[in-house]
Amino acid sequence: MALLTDEIAGQLKEEFARLAQPVRLAVFSQALADPESEQVKRLVEELAAVDSRITAESHNFVLDKEKVEALGIKRSPAIAVVGAEKDYGIRMYGLPSGYEFGSLIDAIIDVSTGDSGLGEPTRAALRDIARPVHIQVFSTPT
Amino acid sequence: VEVTGYPDLAQRYSISSVPKTVVGETHEFVGAGPESMLLKHVQDAAADPAGGLVA
């Protein structure tokens, strides 16, 4: 049974009309260790089926060391949301359900359009920051 | 980060209420806030030799 209902898939199709550049969703999982791994993989595959600009790929967190290293994946299950021309460093850990599903959809659109939605004063202030800053948002299932 | 699957992170960052945002290692806030608040935390973390970047 599909994780995305026909109704949700239809709404996503409309939302994804705004997509610009292709987006890669790279899943890293280890089926034996994570009960949620299979669901994360299926969710991402179903999202890729909604719009051809979204591609799904799946890697083994333990075995595919080169990919894990290249995308800086720290844990499993993980989804890396990567733009065609730029990796903005967006990673989601765990199964994005409930409210976090919306965060994943927003991340896909932001990466595809290359637009964070931040205001100009914020962007100007961020341009003055000379070193990478790691931001983590922690949530629980809703 | 859906934190229920990562109890080590919940402990490391003392997650009791969510959503909790941690910038760098030590600059944090709970709940939602204006864009300016997040920016302030990012600026503070970037300026803090100890609390800035970790992966």
Side-chain angles (χ1 to χ4, degrees), chain A residues 25-42:
Chain A
L25 299 177
V27 174
F28 291 81
S29 58
Q30 43 180 160
L32 293 178
D34 311 320
E36 288 177 333
S37 274
E38 211 46 45
Q39 273 180 289
V40 175
K41 269 165 67 177
R42 275 179 49 199

Side-chain angles (χ1 to χ4, degrees), chain B residues 6-32:
Chain B
Y6 312 108
D8 58 317
L9 289 179
Q11 191 177 7
R12 177 167 160 188
Y13 296 106
S14 309
I15 312 293
S16 52
S17 312
V18 293
K20 181 168 182 175
T21 302
V22 181
V23 184
E25 283 297 283
T26 52
H27 300 267
E28 55 183 56
F29 60 92
V30 172

Side-chain angles (χ1 to χ4, degrees), chain A residues 49-115:
Chain A
V50 173
D51 194 294
S52 61
R53 286 164 291 195
I54 302 172
T55 52
E57 48 185 84
S58 179
H59 307 285
N60 185 292
F61 178 65
V62 180
L63 302 177
D64 298 339
K65 289 197 169 61
E66 209 172 294
K67 284 275 181 191
V68 167
E69 186 80 13
L71 288 174
I73 304 300
K74 304 296 178 200
R75 287 155 194 280
S76 160
I79 305 170
V81 184
V82 183
E85 283 160 21
K86 189 167 174 184
D87 179 7
Y88 295 93
I90 299 175
R91 310 287 182 261
M92 297 194 82
Y93 292 100
L95 176 66
S97 61
Y99 199 75
E100 300 323 317
F101 179 66
S103 302
L104 172 61
I105 302 306
D106 288 346
I108 292 170
I109 293 171
D110 288 355
V111 165
S112 178
T113 57
D115 184 356

